[in-house]
Amino acid sequence: MGLRQAARACPFCEVRSLLGGRPPQLQQTRLYAQIQRDRAARFDDDAARRRSGGPSRRRPDASRPSRMVLSDTVARPARPSADGTPPKKKTREPFSHLNRTKATGIMHKRLDMGQDQRQDTQRRQPPTTERREGDRRFDRRRTTSSSDSFHALKMQKSLHEIPYKLRSAIKAKVEEVDSFEGLPLMDSVQKAIKDALPDLEYRTPTPAQAVAIPALLGLQKQPRTRNPTKKTGPESYLLAAETGSGKTLAYLLPVIDAIKREEAADKEEAERTAADDAATKAADHTRRDDIFDVEEPDLNKAVDPARPRAIILVPSAELVAQVGAVAKSLSHECKFRAAPISAKNSATVIRNRLFNENGVDIVICTPPLLASIAESNPNILARVTHLIVDEADSLFDRSFKPSTTEILDRATPSLKKLFLCSATIPKYLDKYLAEKFPDMQRLVTPNLHAIPRRVALGVVDVNKEPYRGNKMLACADTIWQIGKATADYDPADGKEAVPTKRILVFVNERDDTDKVAEYLSKKGIDAMAFHRDTDPNRQAKALASFTGTEKIKEPKDGEAQKEAVKSNASGTSRQLSNTKVIVTTDLGSRGIDTVSVRHVILYDVPHTTIDFIHRLGRTGRMGRRGRGIVLVGPGDRADVVKEVRDAMFRGEALI
Ligand SMILES: Nc1ncnc2c1ncn2[C@@H]1O[C@H](COP(=O)(O)OP(=O)(O)OP(=O)(O)O)[C@@H](O)[C@H]1O
C-alpha cells in the first residue's frame, strides 16, 4: 500500500475530507509530511512537462491551466459548450465579483435604476435581510451630497444643515410673489419703496423679501402646533437668506405697514372716544356752559416717555447708521419717526432722539445700549409690538446674548411679532431657537449658506516666489495688480475714466489692521484701518465711499492712464491713486452694505465657514459680480480654502 492509499484508508482522514478540514494530529506525523512532499514533486513534474510542451501526467486531457499558473484568459468570455449552447451562468459566490472588466452587477444596475423602478423591484422581491442592508447602503449613497467630500469644512462644524426639501418648498412661495404691487402693503408704504430703491427702473422683491413680507403681514397660515392651547407669546419668524439679499427691506416694509395701520386704528379710536365724550357732554344738562367750563390740567400726569412700537436690534453702530438711513429714506413718503441711536452718539443726541415731544415709532439700537436705557426707563419697551433682531447669529452669541434676551423678556408682554434674520444659522443658534421658540416659522431661501457663483475666488500662494512667505508683500502686490488692471484695460487714448476701486482686506486679529494698513500706505496705497477705536468721523467718511452713500469724484476723460498710477514729485515712489482700501476685521463683515466693493482680500484664512460667508458676502451684492482673493501663507489651512473654492464652483452650501 502506497503512502496516499494508506492515508485514504485511514478513518481519521475520511472524517477530515468530509469536514473539509485538516486533522491536527496528522499534520504532525511523518506520514503527512511525506504526502506533502510527494504532492509538491508531482506539481513540479507536471509544470516541467507543460513547459516542454508535453501532456500533463496527472490530467493528460485537462484544458484548464494549472492553479499554479496565472491565466491570461480572465478577460475572455467563457467558451460555448461542444453542442453550441451558451455556458451556464455561475451561481453567485463570495468572490464572484472579482476579475471583472466591466462594472456590471447588482450595484451598477441599481445605480442606473430610477427610484420608482427600484421600488417596483423591491415590491416584487421578498425582503431578505441581506437585501435590506444593501438597500440601506444604497440609499445612503444616493442621499448624501457631494458636500460629503468636504472633510476640512466638516471639521469646523459651525453651520446648521438646512435640508434641501425645506429650501425647495420655499422656492414655490417665492415664485408666487413677482411684484411689490401684488403685496397688500398700504399705499404710502408702496410709494416709499421708490425712495428706498431709487436707482431701479423695475422694482421686484428679492426671494428674501418675497418670502418674509407676506409672512410678517400675516398672509401665511401659522403651522399647527401639537397643543394649540399651550401656545403663548408672540408669533416668531426666522428669515435666513444669503448676504446682500435685501433683508433690511424685508423686515422694514411690513413693520412700517403695521405701524401705519396701528396709527390709523388709534386715530379712529381717538375720534370715536372724542365723539362719545362730546355726546355725553351734550346730554349732561347739569354742566356749566360759561367761561368756567375749562378742564383742570392733571398735574400728576407724568410726561409720556419714548414708547416705540418697533425695536430693531443690530450688532454695531455702523449698522445702526445704515438701517437708520434706509428707514429715513422710507419716512419721506409715509410719515413715521425712527430713532437710530448708538454708543457713538452723545447723551444729548440720544435723549433728543428718544424722548422728543412728537414721540418715536421705531428705535434702531445695539442691545447693550438699549438694555441699559431700559433699566432706567422700563416704559420704553412697554408698547413694543414688533421686535426685529438683525444679524441674529451675532446677537445670540455669547457676547450679545444677555442683553438681547433681557430686551426680549422685557418686551414680551406687549410683543406681537418677533422677527430674527441672519445670513448664517450656526448650530448654537438653531439649538437655542428650537428650545426657546419651538413654534418659530423658518423662512429659508434656496441658496442659504452658499456663496453666489458670481463671486469668483482666487488663491495666492504666499509660500511661493516672489513672496516667500511675506503676506504683506503679497497683499500689496495683489492690490497693485487690481488697481493697475483697469489702467491696462482702458484704451490708451483715455476715452474711459478709471473707476475708483474699493477693496476690503479682512484680517483675523484686530492688531493686524493697523500693521497691514500702515504697510500698504508705505507701498503707495490709500489704505485705512477700520476697527472699534478708529476715529468715528474718519470711519464714517471712509465707509460712505464703500457703501455708495457718497459719490466719489471719478477722474475726467483723458486722465485715465495718468490717474491710475501717479509718481511723486521726485519720482522715487509711486502712488496707486484710483484705489481705496479698508483693512478690517469681522466688524466690517457684518451687514454693512458695501455695494461698490468688487474685490475682497482675505489676508488671513477665516476661522469658520460663517466668517467666509460674511466676508466674501461684502462683494457680489444684489446680483453684482465680485472677486475674492485668499492669501494662503505658512500655517494657513489650504485644504479648507480648496474645499470652499470647490463648493463655490458647484454653487453648494459651505457645510
Ligand atoms: N428688491 C430689491 N431690488 C433691488 N435691490 C434691492 C432690493 N432690495 C434691497 N436692495 C438693495 O440690496 C442691497 C443689499 O440689501 P441689504 O443690506 O438689506 O442686504 P442684507 O440681506 O441685509 O445683507 P447682509 O446679510 O450682508 O446684511 C441694498 O443696497 C439694497 O438697496
Side-chain angles (χ1 to χ4, degrees):
M1 195 190 287
L3 279 173
R4 270 184 90 194
Q5 279 168 329
R8 272 198 203 126
C10 167
F12 204 61
C13 293
E14 201 71 62
V15 176
R16 179 199 65 164
S17 64
L18 281 174
L19 295 176
R22 184 180 290 165
Q25 299 93 329
L26 197 61
Q27 275 181 25
Q28 286 135 27
T29 57
R30 281 180 58 212
L31 174 66
Y32 187 73
Q34 183 60 44
I35 292 170
Q36 292 292 325
R37 273 199 299 278
D38 201 356
R39 196 179 277 170
R42 264 205 317 282
F43 272 127
D44 289 347
D45 192 28
D46 250 20
R49 273 164 193 270
R50 236 178 293 116
R51 272 199 297 274
S52 62
S56 166
R57 195 168 65 92
R58 259 176 83 215
R59 291 176 285 135
D61 55 344
S63 55
R64 282 189 300 157
S66 156
R67 279 169 56 212
M68 304 301 284
V69 179
L70 289 173
S71 167
D72 55 355
T73 58
V74 277
R76 255 181 256 151
R79 265 178 267 155
S81 57
D83 57 349
T85 54
K88 263 191 179 179
K89 265 194 176 178
K90 272 190 178 181
T91 50
R92 287 186 69 212
E93 290 162 14
F95 299 103
S96 59
H97 61 284
L98 295 178
N99 277 350
R100 291 196 175 183
T101 52
K102 273 185 190 167
T104 53
I106 190 151
M107 218 54 205
H108 180 69
K109 276 184 205 152
R110 279 179 174 199
L111 285 170
D112 279 348
M113 253 191 251
Q115 181 83 4
D116 301 343
Q117 206 181 339
R118 199 158 56 82
Q119 277 166 0
D120 278 350
T121 327
Q122 278 170 4
R123 247 176 264 135
R124 266 182 261 125
Q125 292 173 9
T128 60
T129 325
E130 191 188 320
R131 198 164 66 80
R132 261 186 266 127
E133 176 51 32
D135 280 351
R136 240 174 271 143
R137 243 182 292 135
F138 169 74
D139 287 341
R140 267 204 297 276
R141 232 187 224 216
R142 281 185 61 113
T143 50
T144 48
S145 70
S146 50
S147 67
D148 280 357
S149 53
F150 295 155
H151 301 297
L153 291 187
K154 271 201 183 300
M155 294 287 282
Q156 301 198 334
K157 282 204 169 195
S158 47
L159 285 169
H160 168 60
E161 256 177 83
I162 309 282
Y164 276 89
K165 206 170 125 194
L166 187 63
R167 295 164 189 244
S168 48
I170 292 288
K171 233 179 192 172
K173 284 185 194 165
V174 169
E175 279 156 17
E176 279 170 24
V177 182
D178 55 359
S179 72
F180 282 113
E181 285 75 29
L183 292 166
L185 291 164
M186 287 181 83
D187 286 349
S188 56
V189 181
Q190 288 280 10
K191 282 182 196 156
I193 295 172
K194 281 183 198 144
D195 294 333
L197 303 169
D199 302 335
L200 302 176
E201 202 177 328
Y202 302 103
R203 294 167 190 88
T204 45
T206 63
Q209 290 159 357
V211 89
I213 297 175
L216 270 177
L217 288 175
L219 301 180
Q220 276 177 17
K221 271 190 208 161
Q222 283 287 307
R224 266 197 256 154
T225 49
R226 278 192 201 141
N227 190 351
T229 49
K230 263 197 173 178
K231 202 182 163 207
T232 53
E235 280 175 25
S236 51
Y237 300 89
L238 168 68
L239 169 64
E242 50 280 9
T243 53
S245 56
K247 291 189 282 296
T248 314
L249 277 186
Y251 62 71
L252 265 180
L253 295 178
V255 164
I256 295 167
D257 186 79
I259 287 173
K260 295 307 286 178
R261 282 179 200 275
E262 275 178 34
E263 213 175 76
D266 284 357
K267 205 172 158 192
E268 225 172 78
E269 178 71 30
E271 279 170 7
R272 210 178 308 126
T273 321
D276 287 351
D277 284 353
T280 335
K281 254 188 203 176
D284 187 1
H285 300 293
T286 59
R287 272 186 78 99
R288 305 178 62 144
D289 53 358
D290 51 18
I291 53 162
F292 299 105
D293 180 26
V294 178
E295 269 188 31
E296 293 280 326
D298 184 0
L299 297 177
N300 295 327
K301 194 179 163 190
V303 177
D304 201 17
R307 297 214 300 164
R309 292 175 201 264
I311 300 278
I312 298 172
L313 297 177
V314 290
S316 65
E318 290 73 29
L319 267 181
V320 168
Q322 183 178 298
V323 177
V326 181
K328 197 176 167 199
S329 69
L330 290 167
S331 70
H332 296 317
E333 192 60 49
C334 55
K335 303 284 176 230
F336 66 92
R337 288 164 298 271
I341 51 168
S342 71
K344 285 194 176 163
N345 301 127
S346 66
T348 324
V349 171
I350 293 177
R351 203 175 314 114
N352 288 347
R353 285 189 185 166
L354 272 186
F355 302 101
N356 73 47
E357 57 192 28
N358 297 321
V360 60
D361 295 310
I362 303 176
V363 169
I364 305 154
C365 191
T366 53
L369 178 63
L370 190 63
S372 68
I373 294 173
E375 218 168 274
S376 45
N377 302 278
N379 266 348
I380 200 167
L381 298 172
R383 202 174 61 152
V384 173
T385 53
H386 289 69
L387 177 62
I388 316 292
V389 184
D390 199 350
E391 304 294 335
D393 57 340
S394 283
L395 295 192
F396 281 101
D397 77 0
R398 250 179 294 152
S399 52
F400 282 111
K401 198 174 173 186
S403 46
T404 309
T405 44
E406 190 188 326
I407 294 167
L408 183 57
D409 293 343
R410 281 180 190 270
T412 300
S414 61
L415 204 59
K416 287 185 189 161
K417 281 183 183 164
L418 169 68
F419 191 77
L420 315 188
C421 65
S422 176
T424 47
I425 310 180
K427 292 190 173 178
Y428 66 79
L429 179 65
D430 174 65
K431 202 169 156 230
Y432 172 76
L433 297 180
E435 278 167 16
K436 184 111 188 181
F437 306 102
D439 299 323
M440 180 171 264
Q441 233 185 297
R442 294 179 179 223
L443 313 165
V444 184
T445 53
N447 292 333
L448 183 73
H449 292 165
I451 297 166
R453 275 180 160 182
R454 54 182 186 271
V455 177
L457 188 70
V459 180
V460 174
D461 191 345
V462 181
N463 299 315
K464 286 190 181 161
E465 290 289 338
Y467 310 121
R468 294 189 198 169
N470 186 344
K471 246 189 192 182
M472 293 215 200
L473 177 66
C475 184
D477 192 32
T478 309
I479 295 171
W480 265 93
Q481 282 178 29
I482 295 168
K484 279 186 0 183
T486 318
D488 299 340
Y489 168 78
D490 278 345
D493 57 6
K495 272 184 191 156
E496 280 179 50
V498 180
T500 303
K501 304 250 172 81
R502 286 87 170 181
I503 303 174
L504 276 173
V505 177
F506 284 102
V507 293
N508 284 347
E509 302 300 327
R510 188 197 137 152
D511 291 348
D512 290 342
T513 51
D514 284 322
K515 280 186 219 158
V516 175
E518 225 170 87
Y519 181 88
L520 295 179
S521 302
K522 272 191 217 155
K523 294 282 171 190
I525 296 163
D526 180 1
M528 160 188 174
F530 176 72
H531 49 72
R532 294 222 181 273
D533 298 334
T534 316
D535 168 38
N537 289 335
R538 228 179 123 220
Q539 207 180 69
K541 221 173 154 191
L543 261 190
S545 70
F546 278 68
T547 51
T549 41
E550 180 203 89
K551 282 260 174 268
I552 293 247
K553 240 178 84 186
E554 303 291 2
K556 285 179 197 159
D557 285 2
E559 292 177 351
Q561 290 286 14
K562 279 178 257 159
E563 278 290 315
V565 181
K566 261 189 198 165
S567 297
N568 67 0
S570 58
T572 47
S573 66
R574 294 192 313 156
Q575 288 285 326
L576 191 62
S577 59
N578 71 329
T579 307
K580 281 179 180 287
V581 178
I582 285 183
V583 186
T584 185
T585 54
D586 255 356
L587 176 69
S589 76
R590 289 297 178 138
I592 296 181
D593 186 24
T594 47
V595 271
S596 38
V597 170
R598 289 281 179 282
H599 297 88
V600 166
I601 297 179
L602 305 183
Y603 183 89
D604 293 316
V605 175
H607 292 311
T608 63
T609 39
I610 296 178
D611 291 343
F612 256 111
I613 290 173
H614 285 284
R615 291 179 189 185
L616 290 176
R618 293 316 102 197
T619 185
R621 294 175 74 77
M622 201 41 73
R624 294 174 177 88
R625 289 160 77 88
R627 189 167 180 77
I629 297 148
V630 198
L631 307 181
V632 181
D636 282 336
R637 294 283 306 265
D639 53 344
V640 171
V641 175
K642 188 186 168 292
E643 288 181 10
V644 168
R645 212 174 168 198
D646 289 352
M648 284 172 70
F649 181 72
R650 294 202 285 248
E652 282 180 8
L654 299 191
I655 35 180

